[in-house]
Amino acid sequence: MNKALSVRFAAGGAVAALALTLAGCGGDSGKDNPYGLEEAGTVLAAVSTDQPPFATADKGGKPQGFIVDLTDEVAKRLKLKVEYKASAVPAALQGLSSGQYDLAASGLGVTAERQKQVSFTKGVYWSTTTVLTRKNSTATKLADFSGKRVGDITGAVQQEFVKSKMPGAKQVQFQNQNTAVTQLLSGNLDAFVVGGPDADAYLKKYSALKPAVSAPVDHATAMAVQKKNTKFQQAVDGQLGAMVQDGTFLKIYKKWFVEAPRPELVKIWPALGAQVGQGGEGTQGGSAS
């Protein structure tokens, strides 16, 4: 009888200990991981490093660019570290859905289709789309590319631009921008449709290229987070807002862009207005992937 009682007490003690352990883990998880990250204290960030000036890789392979600087500053203010992992945009968005990443640290166009899969931070840029051609091209309007080979990036917002605004164009898809530009330079493409700041970077690098057409977009450029992780989304937006208020956002912006923020971006961040003369100084910008 004493043996039976001993077994029952032992079993009961084990259950109690397990319950305390689980309760302790839950409490520590909430305290140590207030933003619901996949790894407490670390932002797992997917970055597309062929998207100048939003994100590229330096000679050592380290990510750099406008979005990278914003991400680093946000993480610093939240007392988090960032672990970047190179990823194409479609894989990055899928990785958010599967819990592989906490953040897609690229310049992403905010579209209704993407919002079914992920959530976005508040806009950090407002854009145009540019059709790049070689200097010997006579094309000056979108209709001139009917029957021509026009490149875009798989999963980028420019894919829909080519489909809907360039009737008759022969759409050619690429996995990264550098390959598309190489094909354009070699004559295998007649045009490459890409974001405005990306186009500016290639125009500075390659004298054989020119912009044939530039068109405004109807959506903001932002970063993406897991759809379920509203805590992290709100934390990022909060720090972006603080950076706008104290001038850090504009300082980073001017590091990577020549044109002043477009009025549409100032509308998102009214505090930016006084810093850029109410947003009336610049009307040109770039686009997103």
Side-chain angles (χ1 to χ4, degrees):
M1 184 173 180
N2 289 338
K3 183 178 181 180
L5 283 172
S6 177
V7 170
R8 283 199 295 271
F9 279 121
V15 171
L18 179 60
L20 287 171
T21 300
L22 292 174
C25 288
D28 290 343
S29 177
K31 180 181 178 181
D32 298 337
N33 192 12
Y35 308 115
L37 302 174
E38 292 299 319
E39 296 181 9
T42 300
V43 180
L44 301 180
V47 59
S48 178
T49 55
D50 68 335
Q51 195 188 18
F54 293 110
T56 59
D58 64 16
K59 293 181 179 179
K62 183 179 178 181
Q64 61 180 3
F66 175 60
I67 294 293
V68 176
D69 282 356
L70 290 181
T71 299
D72 288 346
E73 182 64 23
V74 166
K76 175 183 174 183
R77 294 181 180 216
L78 292 175
K79 298 185 178 356
L80 301 169
K81 62 181 181 179
V82 185
E83 183 178 326
Y84 290 101
K85 297 185 178 182
S87 175
V89 169
L93 296 178
Q94 181 57 46
L96 287 175
S97 298
S98 64
Q100 184 179 358
Y101 305 120
D102 300 298
L103 179 73
S106 297
L108 303 170
V110 180
T111 66
E113 188 62 28
R114 285 176 171 175
Q115 286 176 315
K116 296 176 183 178
Q117 184 180 11
V118 299
S119 293
F120 287 94
T121 65
K122 293 181 72 173
V124 296
Y125 196 81
W126 202 282
S127 314
T128 60
T129 295
T130 298
V131 181
L132 281 178
T133 59
R134 294 181 301 281
K135 280 191 173 177
N136 60 4
S137 172
T138 59
T140 58
K141 55 185 182 296
L142 297 178
D144 291 341
F145 293 95
S146 179
K148 304 294 186 181
R149 287 171 56 84
V150 177
D152 55 42
I153 302 302
T154 300
V157 294
Q158 287 81 28
Q159 282 193 302
E160 183 57 33
F161 181 94
V162 176
K163 290 179 182 177
S164 62
K165 299 182 183 297
M166 302 180 75
K170 297 178 180 178
Q171 195 167 14
V172 184
Q173 297 180 17
F174 294 88
Q175 294 300 313
N176 65 77
Q177 292 185 175
N178 293 332
T179 301
V181 171
T182 298
Q183 291 298 302
L184 177 60
L185 289 166
S186 68
N188 291 327
L189 280 181
D190 297 295
F192 174 44
V193 182
V194 69
D198 311 58
D200 290 343
Y202 292 123
L203 289 169
K204 290 176 182 177
K205 187 174 182 179
Y206 302 109
S207 60
L209 300 180
K210 71 174 184 178
V213 184
S214 182
V217 300
D218 59 1
H219 55 258
T221 297
M223 296 178 281
V225 301
Q226 295 178 6
K227 200 166 185 65
K228 66 181 181 180
N229 198 346
T230 56
K231 289 183 179 180
F232 185 52
Q233 178 188 11
Q234 291 169 357
V236 173
D237 282 343
Q239 294 306 319
L240 288 174
M243 290 161 60
V244 170
Q245 290 284 350
D246 65 24
T248 303
F249 181 92
L250 186 59
K251 181 179 179 181
I252 294 174
Y253 189 101
K254 287 182 175 180
K255 176 182 175 181
W256 297 101
F257 302 105
V258 176
E259 301 87 355
R262 290 178 62 92
E264 295 92 338
L265 184 62
V266 173
K267 189 174 181 179
I268 295 174
W269 302 105
L272 198 58
Q275 300 171 32
V276 296
Q278 302 304 314
E281 296 177 5
T283 57
Q284 294 183 354
S287 190
S289 290

